[in-house]
Structure formats: structure tokens, C-alpha cells
Amino acid sequence: VEPRLLVEITDGTTSWKAVTGECTGVTYPPAIVSVSPLATAVGTLKKTIKPSNISIVVEDDWMRPIFVNNELKNQKVNVTLGAENLVEGDYEDYFVNGWIEDIIPTDGNTVEITVSNVLGRIHEVDITGAWYGVNPLEAVEDILLNSSID
């Protein structure tokens, strides 16, 4: 059984989906050439977390009509992992709530999409506020819920 990654790009109203190879369980085009592995770096001295980005390489023939007719920068991306014979509902999350940082044509046949996770999105936004005596996770939740971050 061959593993497959299903990539979904959505602008809030329309979704575009493609997979990394022929599948019997889903009918989306096999237009995904590759998806980079997930990696999160942790600073050894300050224990800071560097947000992970992934790179998705897609066939130009599939991608060009989508990005010519739609503004895709800052749109959401979800990547799920499954197998060639599984239906979409059986796929599991691989990279969720990412957002498109950049779209770069590469060699005339493919396009590289750089996708950042939500921590990368926070990194790009000015955040002000005060959270005294609050659990850090509650502070992060407040930031995510009450900022301009989608």
C-alpha cells in the first residue's frame, strides 16, 4: 500500500484538492509532486521554537489556473496523510491550518508553495496586551481568538 498526501487549499469559499499519486479512494488529480517533511527546530540555549514551514511542489498545469484567478497568499492549507486505497474520511492530519506564504514558479513544469504554520503567522503580526497570572495557553488562546489572525 502506497502512502498518499492530500493537499487542500481554501480561500474560505472555494477549496482545491490534489494528491501525491493515483488513488482509488479519492478522485482528486495527482498533481502534487512532493511535500517536504515536517521539522520544528528548538533553540538549545533559550528553548525557543522556530515555526516549521513546509514546501509543497505542484504541477504547473494544475496550479496556474488557480493562482491566476484567485489571490492565494495568506490562504489556508491543510495536508492529510492516507493511502492509495483509502477514502478521504480515513486520511489523518499531517499539517493543518497552514497559510500560504509564497508561490514561486520553479522550472516551467512545477510551482513551489511555501506554507507556514500558525506560529509563523503570529510571528508576522504585532501583538499587544497584558496577561498577568494567566496560564500561558490561555494567553495564546486569547491572542489567537482576538487578533486579526485567521
Side-chain angles (χ1 to χ4, degrees):
V1 176
E2 290 289 321
R4 296 288 187 255
L5 291 169
L6 186 150
V7 174
E8 176 185 22
I9 301 170
T10 183
D11 66 1
T13 32
T14 306
S15 289
W16 301 273
K17 296 181 183 183
V19 291
T20 56
E22 295 291 337
C23 294
T24 57
V26 296
T27 58
Y28 305 118
I32 306 301
V33 176
S34 66
V35 177
S36 65
L38 287 175
T40 301
V42 178
T44 54
L45 296 177
K46 295 184 179 179
K47 304 295 186 228
T48 55
I49 297 175
K50 181 181 178 196
S52 64
N53 291 345
I54 62 169
S55 175
I56 302 171
V57 178
V58 301
E59 292 178 0
D60 184 67
D61 291 344
W62 178 74
M63 190 69 203
R64 185 170 300 278
I66 296 170
F67 74 77
V68 164
N69 296 314
N70 301 279
E71 177 57 46
L72 294 181
K73 189 165 174 132
N74 296 326
Q75 299 304 328
K76 290 187 180 181
V77 175
N78 289 315
V79 181
T80 53
L81 174 65
E84 60 185 323
N85 59 344
L86 293 179
V87 295
E88 184 176 356
D90 291 334
Y91 279 55
E92 293 293 328
D93 292 341
Y94 179 76
F95 187 87
V96 296
N97 295 325
W99 57 281
I100 295 177
E101 209 173 83
D102 208 359
I103 300 173
I104 303 166
T106 51
D107 60 7
N109 297 320
T110 60
V111 175
E112 183 175 346
I113 304 170
T114 304
V115 182
S116 181
N117 67 13
V118 72
L119 292 178
R121 185 81 184 243
I122 292 172
H123 180 55
E124 301 293 327
V125 174
D126 291 330
I127 298 170
T128 57
W131 297 269
Y132 300 107
V134 175
N135 181 306
L137 293 176
E138 291 174 350
V140 170
E141 179 184 38
D142 186 49
I143 291 168
L144 291 173
L145 292 175
N146 297 304
S147 67
S148 61
I149 302 167
D150 294 328

